[in-house]
Amino acid sequence: MPAVVGASAQTEQGVPDALRQALLAGEWDKALAELSRLESDRPAALDWWTYLRGTTLMQAKRAGEAIEAFASVERRDPPSEWRTKARFAHADALRELGRAKEAEAIYEEEARRLLSETRQEEIAAIYFGFADQLSTPPPAGSPERSTLDYNRAGTLYLKVLGLEVSAATRERALYRRVVCQMALSSWNEAVAAAAQYRSEFDPLTKGSKAIGEHVFEVLFKNADALRRAQDFRGARRAFEDVSAAVAAARKGDEPWSTWRNSTNAQTLAALETLDGEALFAIAGTYFENDSHTAALAVAALRRFLAAYPAHKQASQAAFDIGMRQRASGRTEEALATFDAFLAQPDPAGLDSAQVEALALLRMSALFQRAEVLAQQKKFDAAIAVYNEYIARFPTGPNWTAAQQKIVETENAIGATLRERKQFAEARALRFKFSNHVA
């Protein structure tokens, strides 16, 4: 799952040339006019332009007006990253006006706040150190002994949320609580934890005012938790919402435009993978043994394959289409699907785990092909395919089952002959089968 870079804090935009020249020349009115234009044309950096307006007014000896500009930045909700600088500049302006007591009060208040925040962040870092250790599995093959305890880790992350910490620290603690609940298979609790995260860091949730670094991961985990809790309709909508959010974010539609402008190619590629996972998962929200929902699942899988033919789940999706068709009694379609799957060349660029997974799927597809033929009462063809499986995959997971299926299919042939009152042929087959077993 991708970790998406948050965009709740603005980034300093620098000083454009026209504004810089006016400031260097001491042309304060011209500089203020240029700032008005920038506030209108580039509103994403409004706090930065407003802060510069205040400092320009101070240079122009207009401290009273500067205070208004600084106070505007201080009132921003959510808090601007320029709040602290604006607050101290506000105090400087008060001192310039001879209002020393008011200025000193601001200095003292901000000093206490900064000291408190620093200490709170230090405590949060201690909690994170223990909680991360308790909720992060050691690397595969590592000799390190696992000390996983997701319940304790979740409690420690909850303690972080009780501190006065930065938005980024709070975001990470909320995200890790979702991770812990998912690891505990506490699906309803995971949904609740995701809802708390989204209330603060999902711009699509009413009341949220920021974009969290892990927002897309949380959206996906929320959908997955709903699916595992068997709220299939809710899960389906949630997976569809994940895909819609990813599409809007990748295009830079609101409320994602600022996020999109600060996002790198690696994050966008990770989002594509996540979108594919969401589209693939939609099929799993439909019941399997129902002809109507099976058709909807097949349609969902085909939409996924059309959008992401090279996704790591593409082979599984192609196989699942055949399984859905077979389960709903659409045997001719299932047979065609398994035939096409078996005829496909291996995709390029697979790692060893993917090669192994694809090999198992191909074994299963051949076995399922025999099953479909038997289901269609094409017994001789089914036996031939079971024998093909036995010959090609002596260590395959269905090797013993294939042998048993041959026996069952031969018995089914005999039963069919007897139903047709072809008793001589049934006896001959039984004799042939007895010799074969012997």
Side-chain angles (χ1 to χ4, degrees):
M1 310 283 173
V4 179
V5 178
S8 57
Q10 294 184 22
T11 301
E12 183 173 335
Q13 301 294 311
V15 181
D17 290 342
L19 176 58
R20 185 187 303 278
Q21 291 169 7
L23 291 172
L24 290 173
E27 297 174 337
W28 311 124
D29 289 340
K30 185 175 180 179
L32 291 168
E34 180 63 17
L35 282 166
S36 294
R37 185 189 68 79
L38 290 167
E39 288 167 356
S40 175
D41 293 351
R42 295 166 64 177
L46 180 60
D47 290 355
W48 170 234
W49 307 133
T50 307
Y51 174 75
L52 287 181
R53 174 179 292 280
T55 60
T56 302
L57 288 166
M58 287 289 289
Q59 292 286 342
K61 307 298 182 184
R62 295 159 61 179
E65 295 175 66
I67 287 174
E68 294 179 12
F70 295 135
S72 175
V73 176
E74 294 170 54
R75 289 193 297 267
R76 290 282 193 268
D77 187 15
S80 168
E81 73 167 325
W82 298 102
R83 180 196 172 282
T84 300
K85 286 189 176 182
R87 190 80 172 131
F88 279 114
H90 185 162
D92 291 342
L94 288 170
R95 188 178 58 185
E96 188 75 17
L97 293 172
R99 295 157 63 179
K101 285 189 176 181
E102 293 176 65
E104 288 173 8
I106 290 177
Y107 292 140
E108 291 176 3
E109 178 186 343
E110 287 302 298
R112 285 195 303 270
R113 183 183 65 81
L114 290 174
L115 180 61
S116 174
E117 285 185 0
T118 301
R119 180 58 180 157
Q120 298 274 294
E121 290 288 346
E122 289 174 358
I123 296 171
I126 293 171
Y127 283 144
F128 273 130
F130 285 112
D132 290 350
Q133 185 178 12
L134 292 169
S135 61
T136 304
S142 171
E144 181 182 347
R145 185 173 64 87
S146 175
T147 57
L148 295 177
D149 188 334
Y150 292 105
N151 273 316
R152 285 181 60 201
T155 300
L156 291 170
Y157 291 128
L158 196 59
K159 287 182 180 293
V160 173
L161 297 175
L163 300 172
E164 293 292 330
V165 291
S166 67
T169 299
R170 186 171 178 81
E171 187 271 348
R172 182 166 179 265
L174 287 168
Y175 163 68
R176 292 300 302 176
R177 286 196 69 235
V178 177
V179 171
C180 288
Q181 295 301 333
M182 292 294 290
L184 290 166
S185 301
S186 300
W187 311 127
N188 292 329
E189 290 79 3
V191 171
Q196 186 181 5
Y197 177 99
R198 294 175 63 195
S199 71
E200 298 185 36
F201 295 103
D202 174 12
L204 300 177
T205 298
K206 185 177 180 180
S208 177
K209 298 171 182 174
I211 299 177
E213 179 180 354
H214 304 90
V215 61
F216 293 102
E217 282 186 83
V218 170
L219 291 175
F220 184 90
K221 290 180 185 298
N222 174 65
D224 193 33
L226 288 168
R227 179 182 65 84
R228 293 173 184 272
Q230 299 190 350
D231 180 359
F232 296 120
R233 184 174 297 179
R236 191 178 311 130
R237 287 196 301 266
F239 282 125
E240 290 168 350
D241 288 346
V242 172
S243 187
V246 169
R250 288 170 62 191
K251 289 189 294 184
D253 293 343
E254 292 300 339
W256 305 101
S257 58
T258 302
W259 174 89
R260 178 63 180 82
N261 291 335
S262 63
T263 300
N264 58 35
Q266 183 179 4
T267 298
L268 292 175
L271 274 189
E272 282 194 25
T273 300
L274 183 68
D275 185 29
E277 294 287 348
L279 291 177
F280 173 72
I282 289 172
T285 65
Y286 291 106
F287 293 109
E288 294 189 3
N289 297 321
D290 178 274
S291 59
H292 175 65
T293 56
L296 294 174
V298 167
L301 290 167
R302 284 178 172 155
R303 285 194 299 272
F304 160 70
L305 287 171
Y308 297 105
H311 195 277
K312 65 180 182 179
Q313 297 284 13
S315 295
Q316 184 67 59
F319 175 81
D320 287 351
I321 288 174
M323 293 297 289
R324 289 283 188 162
Q325 290 167 333
R326 183 195 166 204
S328 62
R330 297 160 66 179
T331 56
E332 284 298 333
E333 294 178 34
L335 198 61
T337 297
F338 289 130
D339 285 344
F341 182 78
L342 290 165
Q344 284 181 348
D346 288 356
L350 299 182
D351 59 31
S352 58
Q354 290 172 316
V355 169
E356 183 178 351
L358 180 56
L360 288 172
L361 282 177
R362 292 202 188 283
M363 292 182 200
S364 294
L366 185 63
F367 184 81
Q368 290 300 324
R369 186 173 185 276
E371 293 280 87
V372 173
L373 289 167
Q375 189 175 346
Q376 294 178 326
K377 296 191 175 182
K378 297 177 180 178
F379 299 124
D380 290 338
I383 289 172
V385 178
Y386 285 131
N387 277 318
E388 181 185 353
Y389 183 97
I390 291 168
R392 288 178 58 186
F393 307 120
T395 61
N398 289 306
W399 188 81
T400 301
Q403 291 185 316
Q404 181 61 36
K405 289 289 184 178
I406 290 174
V407 174
E408 293 176 5
T409 305
E410 288 176 334
N411 287 336
I413 294 173
T416 301
L417 290 172
R418 287 191 294 275
E419 286 175 7
R420 297 173 181 173
K421 300 188 183 305
Q422 295 176 271
F423 300 114
E425 290 86 344
R427 284 193 296 273
L429 178 67
R430 185 175 179 81
F431 179 75
K432 176 184 176 183
F433 176 58
S434 298
N435 288 339
H436 173 70
V437 172

